[in-house]
Amino acid sequence: MSGRLADLGVDVAHLTICGDRPADLLAQLRFLAADGVDLIVTTGGLGPTADDLTVATVAEFAGLPLRQDPQIRQTIDTVIRTWRQVPADATLPDALVAAIDKQALVPVGARAIPPTGTAPGVAVPAADGRPAVLVLPGPPHELQAMWPTAVRTDAVVEAISGRVIGEQRTIRAYGLSEPDLAVTLREADDAVPGLADVEVTTCMRGGELEIVSRFDGTASATYDALADLLIARHGDKVFSTDASTIDDLLVSRLNGRTVATAESCTGGMVAARLTDRAGSSAYLLGGVVSYSNEVKTGVLGVPAELIAELGAVSEPVAAAMAEGARRVTGADIAVSTTGIAGPDGARPGKPVGTVCFGVAVAGRETVTVTRLFPGDRDSVRRLATTAAFHLLAAAL
Amino acid sequence: MSGRLADLGVDVAHLTICGDRPADLLAQLRFLAADGVDLIVTTGGLGPTADDLTVATVAEFAGLPLRQDPQIRQTIDTVIRTWRQVPADATLPDALVAAIDKQALVPVGARAIPPTGTAPGVAVPAADGRPAVLVLPGPPHELQAMWPTAVRTDAVVEAISGRVIGEQRTIRAYGLSEPDLAVTLREADDAVPGLADVEVTTCMRGGELEIVSRFDGTASATYDALADLLIARHGDKVFSTDASTIDDLLVSRLNGRTVATAESCTGGMVAARLTDRAGSSAYLLGGVVSYSNEVKTGVLGVPAELIAELGAVSEPVAAAMAEGARRVTGADIAVSTTGIAGPDGARPGKPVGTVCFGVAVAGRETVTVTRLFPGDRDSVRRLATTAAFHLLAAAL
């Protein structure tokens, strides 16, 4: 939702999470109001169980009584009857009637947003120096389906009407450390006049450094000067200047070609990420998760003697795995991963975090590389998955 | 961290997130203090870039000046020199010196916790009606490595010493809807005396319903009565009463047997989840991601005519995929997924969200089932992955 709000030019100052305790939620709502936000958006707590108390708590916060909205009640009743295949003339059990009654309660003066599951959303207009409140369902598909209607309610449109639509630019780098970037940003403090007008935040995630800059239109030239300096110092590590991700870059570089995977330590994470997007069947043919050495040999054709001699975590085995994936799937390009995710498995010269990669491309010699990733099992697997994407993109 | 704090018996009332803006962070710290928490734990913002301002902001919140800790400074200096291979007698560039100076600043009276990356943690004792503050690094592996030391600092030990170590029990159900559970919980309100002493919260996640109950020891019998009622009403759907997950259950039921996967729409997510744990090589031999029909046929041996006649998303194809995975890997049991994750791909009689599963077990007839999952592409894939785990566990 922060991303969607940013798309609308709305700046998110606070993100809070609380358990199903009305007192905690109320305290958070009051804090946000006291901090002067224009709009509070809540998700979750609209269900039928007694711990789902968002609407009642928001009503208390806003000092509004609750009333049952008959139209909404009818809608929920119909949804439930359809789902449970109960005819319109049959009586529902008392407990279910109570649940429906509860979900149809709306604060007086607020607008109910038709349910995309069973629970309606609620848009409470701002008043008396308190912000507007938009109450949305928790389940992602219900939330996403309700969003377009929700942001068009009068309460929300008015609450955000005062926003200054600024610019936001994202530069992404891989293989650049935060300390090295910090050195360049300090250089920029001196070299780029007016840099204080550009709000720069950085975040290292999955091995990638995300540099987000926010500024209003008048500082556009300042941002360009900053971006030029970053490219001048780190251009070899920067892979995106328009917020596009390595996933976007890889898909565009594949450009009609097909890809396959051969994974050991990443266990399927690379293939899974390659199939995240709609339309991925156009480029991802498939892959093999060859966790055991027998599967590396039996399915990918990696010679057993090679594994016995050099170990499964070696560049020649990675090469054979990638070539095997190409062979059994017919893909134009394949990437392999074989490594030690940990915590066990370290060998002399191969500590936990060691991962070998192979990239096999039609008509070219297979490329291999060994990397050492920090952190625990999950960290090694995630960093290796991202690395596989960068290796594929680089090979294309 | 909420989970680790819960292990210590510490109740988490609020979880807040803010951007790299000191004013927002300060407002959040003041809100939490005003709400009367005993301890605030922060993560992130300890890096070397100018937007990393947690320590300075916490110092401002606590009304404490900052001083440079020479011992910590030396530690960071050594870490940086080692990493960049700079000899002890060589001068570091000014900008790097500035970054190290910044990371070595600690509020007066606070205790610095030795870095697990470059940044130290900070433990600020409670004072003057304000809570203790524990400042930790953001990167998960640094945070996790620092945690044992951090929770043993005097500031934290004293802050949480007043906690009441209550009980927490988790029941997990699959195929049980929140409305149906709500009916039973309302029944419990009448049928179980003293239920108000048990705090029950429920959450539907990935198709599984998690029912968490918190109570102190004196309400133990009340909880047992509630649990008995839940089992009486929904025992066929409850798969865990001791907080263990379906992943735990599956591994224990495998009990020495091996498993393989054949995935289409889930793209590797099932295999990836099966390899999440250390030691998974004992049971997961491998899998095939057969995204294209040619790979289903070429690698798994699914007859092309079967796919042509019934479509890839059909139970006979799911069966053939699972049997193929068993055959090419030698595993005792295999699960397959083939479905329409969306948003495209719907066919007559096969809407988006339709997923067929096959479970092939040595010496038994292959079991198949078709399910229909709600939501977007990501939702369908995640729900199908969880369903695959439940199908495997059920077959064992």
Side-chain angles (χ1 to χ4, degrees):
Chain A
M1 272 202 325
S2 292
R4 294 297 187 88
L5 288 163
D7 291 343
L8 293 171
V10 178
D11 190 50
V12 178
H14 302 284
L15 210 157
T16 70
I17 301 168
C18 67
D20 297 302
R21 291 197 187 134
D24 293 341
L25 176 55
L26 202 50
Q28 291 189 1
L29 294 169
R30 287 174 175 161
F31 156 62
L32 296 171
D35 201 59
V37 303
D38 301 285
L39 172 67
I40 298 172
V41 185
T42 76
T43 70
L46 301 188
T49 51
D51 60 324
D52 292 307
L53 288 159
T54 304
V55 175
T57 308
V58 167
E60 183 179 347
F61 160 75
L64 297 169
L66 290 170
R67 64 168 178 90
Q68 206 175 79
D69 181 320
Q71 222 173 336
I72 290 289
R73 197 196 181 290
Q74 184 57 57
T75 303
I76 302 170
D77 186 274
T78 303
V79 168
I80 299 250
R81 283 173 185 275
T82 305
W83 171 41
R84 289 160 179 275
Q85 295 164 340
V86 175
D89 53 356
T91 322
L92 291 172
D94 286 350
L96 202 48
V97 169
I100 297 171
D101 281 343
K102 173 174 175 281
Q103 290 192 303
L105 291 172
V106 180
V108 170
R111 155 103 179 272
I113 304 166
T116 48
T118 53
V122 177
V124 185
D128 308 328
R130 64 150 178 79
V133 186
L134 176 61
V135 178
L136 299 173
H141 58 273
E142 290 186 33
L143 171 60
Q144 290 157 17
M146 194 178 285
W147 184 255
T149 309
V151 295
R152 287 167 177 74
T153 56
D154 292 345
V156 175
V157 169
E158 281 170 38
I160 69 174
S161 62
R163 68 202 184 285
V164 173
I165 298 182
E167 306 279 338
Q168 178 171 304
R169 295 282 194 296
T170 301
I171 289 175
R172 302 189 192 279
Y174 186 65
L176 173 62
S177 72
E178 281 197 283
D180 281 345
L181 175 66
V183 170
T184 303
L185 290 177
R186 283 175 212 267
E187 182 188 347
D189 280 339
D190 297 327
V192 177
L195 193 58
D197 295 334
V198 178
E199 184 187 22
V200 182
T201 62
T202 67
C203 184
M204 176 70 82
R205 198 184 289 115
E208 295 178 347
L209 197 44
E210 178 185 80
I211 305 158
V212 178
S213 302
R214 294 187 186 89
F215 52 95
D216 73 53
T218 61
S220 208
T222 311
Y223 175 74
D224 290 342
L226 170 65
D228 287 347
L229 179 63
L230 289 171
I231 301 288
R233 296 287 172 268
H234 307 294
D236 54 329
K237 309 243 163 77
V238 169
F239 65 90
S240 163
T241 54
D242 63 355
S244 58
T245 61
I246 190 61
D247 307 62
D248 297 325
L249 186 65
L250 177 57
V251 174
S252 84
R253 284 190 183 174
L254 277 166
N255 198 23
R257 283 173 286 187
T258 55
V259 60
T261 59
E263 303 183 59
S264 190
C265 61
T266 47
M269 292 167 71
V270 180
R273 189 164 157 184
L274 282 166
T275 53
D276 269 346
R277 295 159 183 237
S280 53
S281 55
Y283 45 87
L284 191 285
L285 299 184
V288 176
V289 176
S290 52
Y291 215 64
S292 74
N293 291 339
E294 289 73 21
V295 174
K296 289 179 180 74
T297 299
V299 182
L300 292 170
V302 179
E305 312 78 51
L306 192 65
I307 299 176
E309 183 192 341
L310 301 174
V313 180
S314 61
E315 290 188 28
V317 169
M321 286 171 64
E323 289 160 7
R326 272 204 64 229
R327 192 171 49 248
V328 305
T329 63
D332 298 312
I333 182 170
V335 66
S336 68
T337 66
T338 174
I340 305 165
D344 313 307
R347 302 281 155 79
K350 293 181 194 174
V352 166
T354 305
V355 182
C356 297
F357 299 84
V359 180
V361 185
R364 275 196 254 163
E365 200 170 320
T366 300
V367 169
T368 59
V369 69
T370 302
R371 301 275 305 277
L372 180 60
F373 300 112
D376 65 3
R377 185 180 179 82
D378 184 61
S379 168
V380 173
R381 281 156 47 96
R382 282 184 304 103
L383 292 171
T385 298
T386 296
F389 269 67
H390 283 272
L391 287 166
L392 277 170
L396 291 163
Chain B
M1 275 203 323
S2 291
R4 294 296 186 89
L5 288 163
D7 292 344
L8 292 171
V10 177
D11 190 50
V12 178
H14 302 284
L15 211 156
T16 70
I17 299 168
C18 67
D20 296 301
R21 290 198 188 134
D24 293 341
L25 176 54
L26 203 51
Q28 291 189 0
L29 294 169
R30 287 173 174 162
F31 156 62
L32 296 172
D35 202 59
V37 303
D38 301 286
L39 172 68
I40 298 171
V41 186
T42 76
T43 70
L46 300 190
T49 51
D51 60 323
D52 292 308
L53 288 160
T54 304
V55 175
T57 308
V58 167
E60 183 178 347
F61 160 75
L64 297 169
L66 289 170
R67 64 166 179 92
Q68 205 176 79
D69 182 320
Q71 223 172 337
I72 290 290
R73 197 195 182 290
Q74 185 56 56
T75 303
I76 301 169
D77 186 274
T78 303
V79 168
I80 298 253
R81 284 175 186 273
T82 306
W83 172 41
R84 288 160 181 277
Q85 294 165 342
V86 176
D89 54 354
T91 321
L92 292 171
D94 286 351
L96 203 47
V97 169
I100 297 171
D101 282 341
K102 172 174 176 283
Q103 290 192 302
L105 291 172
V106 180
V108 171
R111 157 102 178 271
I113 304 166
T116 48
T118 53
V122 178
V124 185
D128 308 327
R130 65 153 176 77
V133 187
L134 176 61
V135 178
L136 297 173
H141 58 273
E142 290 186 34
L143 171 60
Q144 290 156 16
M146 195 179 285
W147 184 254
T149 308
V151 295
R152 287 168 178 74
T153 56
D154 292 344
V156 174
V157 169
E158 281 170 37
I160 67 174
S161 63
R163 69 203 184 285
V164 173
I165 298 182
E167 304 280 338
Q168 177 172 303
R169 295 283 193 300
T170 301
I171 290 175
R172 302 189 191 280
Y174 186 65
L176 174 62
S177 72
E178 282 197 283
D180 281 344
L181 175 66
V183 170
T184 304
L185 291 177
R186 284 175 211 267
E187 181 187 348
D189 280 337
D190 297 327
V192 178
L195 194 59
D197 295 335
V198 178
E199 184 187 20
V200 183
T201 62
T202 68
C203 185
M204 174 70 80
R205 196 184 291 114
E208 294 178 348
L209 198 44
E210 179 184 80
I211 306 157
V212 178
S213 302
R214 293 186 188 90
F215 52 95
D216 72 52
T218 60
S220 209
T222 311
Y223 174 74
D224 290 341
L226 171 65
D228 286 347
L229 179 62
L230 289 172
I231 302 288
R233 295 288 172 266
H234 308 294
D236 56 327
K237 310 243 165 75
V238 169
F239 65 90
S240 163
T241 54
D242 64 354
S244 57
T245 63
I246 189 61
D247 309 61
D248 297 325
L249 186 65
L250 177 57
V251 174
S252 83
R253 283 190 184 173
L254 277 167
N255 197 23
R257 284 173 286 186
T258 56
V259 60
T261 59
E263 304 184 58
S264 191
C265 62
T266 46
M269 291 167 70
V270 180
R273 189 164 157 183
L274 281 166
T275 54
D276 269 348
R277 295 160 184 237
S280 53
S281 55
Y283 43 88
L284 191 285
L285 299 184
V288 176
V289 175
S290 53
Y291 214 63
S292 74
N293 290 341
E294 289 72 21
V295 174
K296 288 178 179 76
T297 299
V299 182
L300 292 170
V302 179
E305 312 77 51
L306 192 64
I307 299 176
E309 183 192 340
L310 301 174
V313 180
S314 62
E315 289 187 31
V317 169
M321 286 172 62
E323 288 158 9
R326 272 205 64 229
R327 193 170 50 249
V328 304
T329 62
D332 298 312
I333 180 169
V335 65
S336 69
T337 66
T338 174
I340 304 164
D344 313 307
R347 303 281 154 79
K350 293 181 192 174
V352 167
T354 305
V355 182
C356 297
F357 300 83
V359 180
V361 186
R364 275 197 255 163
E365 201 171 317
T366 299
V367 169
T368 61
V369 70
T370 302
R371 300 274 305 275
L372 180 60
F373 300 111
D376 66 3
R377 184 180 180 81
D378 184 63
S379 169
V380 172
R381 281 157 46 97
R382 282 185 302 104
L383 293 171
T385 300
T386 296
F389 269 67
H390 283 272
L391 287 166
L392 277 170
L396 289 162

